[in-house]
C-alpha cells in the first residue's frame, strides 16, 4: 500500500495505474467502472513520486503595469488636490485671485464692466453705469455656477470708517443680453457681531444660490448682493452700534446708507432710482435694514427683516436720547405716514421659537400700528422657526422675496 497526499489508501499496481478503492468494495475490482469519472477528481501520485509540474504564474504585462501605476498616481493626485483646495493652497484654489465683474464670457470687457470703454447710455436711461473708481476685488469663493463672492476694502469717504465689503453678482450680470442693463442691489446685513466678517458672504447659508434659483422660478429679481461689515468691532462686551451714527462712535449708519451704496454704484451697473435698492437682514441686521429704509425712503424702497429688533437698544445710546429717537423705526414710521410717503415695503419673517419670545408680538404690534398709508407690510410666521439664518433663508423664498420683488425694478436699460 502507498498513501495519497490526502491520506486515502491506494492500491499499487505493477502497470503503474492506481485507482482509488471505495470502502466496502473487494480489492482488485477496477474502480470506477469503465466510462465513469472518478468521484474525487483525478488520481494522485503516491509519496515518493515527483508532483506534476505547476503552470508557471504569468507576470502582468508591462502595459498593464503602467496602467495600474497611472491610475494610482491619478487617484493620489486627486486626493492631494482636494486636500490642498480645502486648505486653500495654490494653485488648487482660486481664492485670492483678482475678480472683475461685468466682463463678457471669454474675458472681453463688457459694457459697464471693469475696464469698459463703451459709450454711456442716454440720459433718460434707468440704468446707471459704473461711476468708478474700480475696487480691487479678490475672490473669496467660487460657486458651482461659476459666479464669485469677492471682497474689497472700502475706505468710506462720508463715514470715515474703513472696512470690508463682500459682493456677489448673479450669472445674468455677465449675460451679453444684459450688457447695458442696471441690476437691483440688496444690502445684506448679518446678526450677531457683524465683524470682522458678514456671515452672508459664506455660501453655506445658500443666500446666493437661492437668489439665482428664485430668479429662475420667477419669484425674485436678480439682485446683486452687497455684504458689508455691520459693526466697527466685535460685540464681545455686549457693545453694538445699531447700524447708526451714535455720537462719539464710528458712523455706521452713514457707512451703510451712503458709503456702501456709493461703492456699489462705482463698481456695478445699477438702477438709478430707489426702485432698485433694498436691504435684508436678520436680528440686529434686520433692525438696521428696517431703520435704514424708514429713515431714507428716498434712497431705498424695501427691506426683508428677519427676527428683527424694533427699537434701538445699544448701550452706546446712553446720554443721547435725541439721536436715539431719530433712529427709532416706530417714530420714523409715524413721520413717514404723516408725510404720506414715499411708499416703502417691509417684509417681516419671524419664527415661533425665537430666542426672544417678544420678537413676534413686537413685530405684530408694529404692523398693526404702522402698517398703513405709505407703509406696506407683510409677515411670514415660521412655524418652529428659530432665531438663525438657516431658518430665515429658505423661508425668504416662500413670500418675502416675492413681496419686495413685485415692486422693485431690474434689470433695466
Amino acid at each position: 500500500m502507498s498513501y495519497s497526499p490526502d491520506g486515502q489508501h491506494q492500491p499499487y499496481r505493477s502497470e503503474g495505474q492506481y485507482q482509488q478503492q471505495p470502502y466496502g468494495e473487494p480489492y482488485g475490482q477496477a474502480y470506477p467502472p469503465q466510462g465513469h469519472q472518478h468521484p474525487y477528481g483525478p488520481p494522485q501520485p503516491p509519496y515518493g513520486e515527483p508532483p506534476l509540474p505547476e503552470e508557471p504564474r504569468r507576470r502582468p504585462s508591462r502595459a498593464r503595469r503602467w496602467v495600474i501605476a497611472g491610475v494610482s498616481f491619478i487617484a493620489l493626485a486627486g486626493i492631494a488636490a482636494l486636500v490642498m483646495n480645502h486648505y486653500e493652497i495654490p494653485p488648487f484654489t482660486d481664492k485670492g485671485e483678482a475678480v472683475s465683474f461685468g466682463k463678457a464670457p471669454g474675458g472681453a470687457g463688457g459694457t459697464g464692466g471693469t475696464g469698459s470703454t463703451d459709450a454711456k447710455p442716454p440720459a433718460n436711461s434707468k440704468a446707471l453705469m459704473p461711476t468708478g473708481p474700480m475696487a480691487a476685488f479678490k475672490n473669496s469663493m467660487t460657486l458651482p455656477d461659476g459666479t464669485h463672492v469677492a471682497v474689497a476694502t472700502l475706505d468710506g469717504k462720508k463715514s470715515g470708517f474703513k472696512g470690508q465689503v463682500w459682493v456677489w453678482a448673479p450669472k445674468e450680470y455677465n449675460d451679453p443680453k444684459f450688457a447695458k442693463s442696471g441690476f437691483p442691489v440688496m444690502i445684506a446685513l448679518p446678526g450677531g457681531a457683524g465683524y470682522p466678517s458678514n456671515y452672508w458672504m459664506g455660501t453655506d447659508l445658500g443666500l446666493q444660490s437661492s437668489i439665482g434659483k428664485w430668479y429662475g422660478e420667477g419669484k425674485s429679481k436678480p439682485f446683486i448682493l452687497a455684504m458689508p461689515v455691520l459693526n466697527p468691532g466685535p460685540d464681545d462686551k455686549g457693545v453694538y452700534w445699531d447700524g447708526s451714527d451714535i455720537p462719539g462712535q464710528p458712523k455706521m449708519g452713514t457707512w451703510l446708507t451712503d458709503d456702501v451704496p456709493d461703492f456699489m454704484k462705482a463698481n456695478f451697473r445699477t438702477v438709478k432710482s430707489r426702485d432698485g435698492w433694498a436691504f435684508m437682514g436678520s436680528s440686529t441686521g434686520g433692525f438696521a435694514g428696517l431703520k435704514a429704509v424708514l429713515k431714507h425712503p428716498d434712497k431705498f424702497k424695501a427691506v426683508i427683516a428677519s427676527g428683527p429688533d424694533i427699537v434701538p437698544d445699544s448701550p452706546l445710546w446712553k446720554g443721547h436720547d435725541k439721536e436715539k429717537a431719530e433712529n427709532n423705526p416706530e417714530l420714523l414710521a409715524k413721520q413717514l405716514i404723516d408725510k404720506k410717503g414715499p411708499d416703502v415695503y417691509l417684509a417681516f419673517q419671524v419664527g415661533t421659537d425665537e430666542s426672544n419670545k417678544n420678537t413676534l408680538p413686537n413685530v405684530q404690534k408694529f404692523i398693526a400700528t404702522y402698517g398703513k398709508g405709505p407703509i406696506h407690510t407683510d409677515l411670514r410666521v415660521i412655524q418652529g422657526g428659530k432665531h438663525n439664518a438657516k431658518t430665515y433663508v429658505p423661508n425668504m423664498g416662500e413670500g418675502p422675496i416675492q413681496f419686495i420683488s413685485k415692486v422693485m425694478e431690474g434689470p433695466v436699460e
Side-chain angles (χ1 to χ4, degrees):
M1 283 287 188
S2 66
Y3 296 87
S4 68
D6 63 1
Q8 292 181 344
H9 298 290
Q10 300 286 347
Y12 185 77
R13 299 178 63 179
S14 58
E15 64 265 32
Q17 294 181 348
Y18 36 88
Q19 305 220 357
Q20 184 179 16
Q21 189 76 17
Y23 296 115
E25 293 286 342
Y27 289 111
Q29 182 176 338
Y31 185 82
Q34 191 172 0
H36 290 74
Q37 292 185 349
H38 197 288
Y40 301 106
Q44 301 294 321
Y47 287 136
E49 294 190 18
L52 297 174
E54 293 185 0
E55 238 181 77
R57 184 176 297 174
R58 294 184 178 179
R59 296 179 62 191
S61 66
R62 178 174 297 179
R64 186 180 178 189
R65 293 199 302 271
W66 277 108
V67 169
I68 294 173
V71 171
S72 300
F73 176 80
I74 292 171
L76 290 173
I79 294 171
L82 290 173
V83 171
M84 286 188 279
N85 180 66
H86 176 75
Y87 289 103
E88 299 172 349
I89 302 173
F92 296 95
T93 177
D94 57 0
K95 183 173 183 177
E97 293 184 359
V99 173
S100 180
F101 292 95
K103 284 196 172 184
T111 301
T114 302
S116 172
T117 57
D118 293 333
K120 293 183 179 181
N124 61 354
S125 172
K126 292 183 177 181
L128 178 66
M129 294 296 108
T131 60
M134 297 297 173
F137 286 109
K138 298 296 182 181
N139 190 40
S140 181
M141 60 192 64
T142 300
L143 276 66
D145 64 359
T147 57
H148 302 283
V149 176
V151 63
T153 299
L154 168 60
D155 191 353
K157 303 303 180 189
K158 295 178 181 177
S159 68
F161 175 71
K162 185 176 183 178
Q164 288 187 306
V165 181
W166 288 264
V167 298
W168 174 82
K171 62 182 180 180
E172 288 76 19
Y173 189 79
N174 282 339
D175 190 327
K177 74 178 181 180
F178 293 121
K180 296 182 180 180
S181 299
F183 279 68
V185 174
M186 178 181 286
I187 301 173
L189 304 179
Y195 178 92
S197 64
N198 178 323
Y199 58 57
W200 296 117
M201 53 75 68
T203 57
D204 55 321
L205 296 174
L207 179 60
Q208 295 85 357
S209 57
S210 294
I211 287 176
K213 174 177 175 288
W214 295 331
Y215 175 63
E217 295 172 347
K219 296 179 179 179
S220 173
K221 295 295 183 183
F223 291 101
I224 300 172
L225 291 178
M227 299 164 278
V229 294
L230 175 62
N231 292 320
D235 66 348
D236 53 356
K237 296 181 180 179
V239 176
Y240 47 95
W241 285 257
D242 273 341
S244 305
D245 291 358
I246 300 176
Q249 299 293 327
K251 296 182 177 181
M252 302 314 294
T254 299
W255 160 259
L256 296 175
T257 60
D258 283 297
D259 289 332
V260 172
D262 288 348
F263 174 77
M264 298 304 289
K265 292 173 185 177
N267 289 280
F268 293 89
R269 305 187 305 275
T270 57
V271 179
K272 284 182 179 179
S273 75
R274 75 186 190 104
D275 294 334
W277 294 85
F279 276 89
M280 68 83 67
S282 56
S283 193
T284 185
F287 165 82
L290 173 65
K291 187 260 299 183
V293 171
L294 290 170
K295 190 170 185 176
H296 303 284
D298 57 322
K299 296 181 181 181
F300 309 102
K301 193 171 187 178
V303 61
I304 297 176
S306 303
D309 300 321
I310 294 298
V311 296
D313 59 1
S314 169
L316 297 173
W317 288 115
K318 185 177 181 180
H320 305 290
D321 292 343
K322 176 179 177 294
E323 292 81 2
K324 182 179 181 179
E326 292 170 353
N327 288 275
N328 187 327
E330 293 180 335
L331 299 180
L332 292 169
K334 183 179 183 303
Q335 293 171 11
L336 190 59
I337 293 170
D338 292 343
K339 293 178 182 177
K340 302 185 184 324
D343 291 78
V344 294
Y345 296 80
L346 317 178
F348 296 93
Q349 54 177 1
V350 183
T352 56
D353 288 345
E354 296 273 344
S355 52
N356 182 351
K357 300 306 179 183
N358 292 322
T359 301
L360 182 55
N362 287 345
V363 169
Q364 291 171 328
K365 180 181 177 182
F366 179 90
I367 291 174
T369 305
Y370 304 107
K372 57 187 177 183
I375 300 180
H376 308 271
T377 61
D378 180 73
L379 171 61
R380 177 171 177 77
V381 178
I382 306 168
Q383 295 300 320
K386 299 184 182 299
H387 189 71
N388 59 56
K390 290 185 177 181
T391 290
Y392 301 138
V393 173
N395 284 279
M396 278 177 59
E398 301 302 319
I401 199 72
Q402 300 171 64
F403 178 74
I404 69 167
S405 291
K406 287 177 181 178
V407 298
M408 298 192 70
E409 289 193 337
V412 296
E413 292 189 13

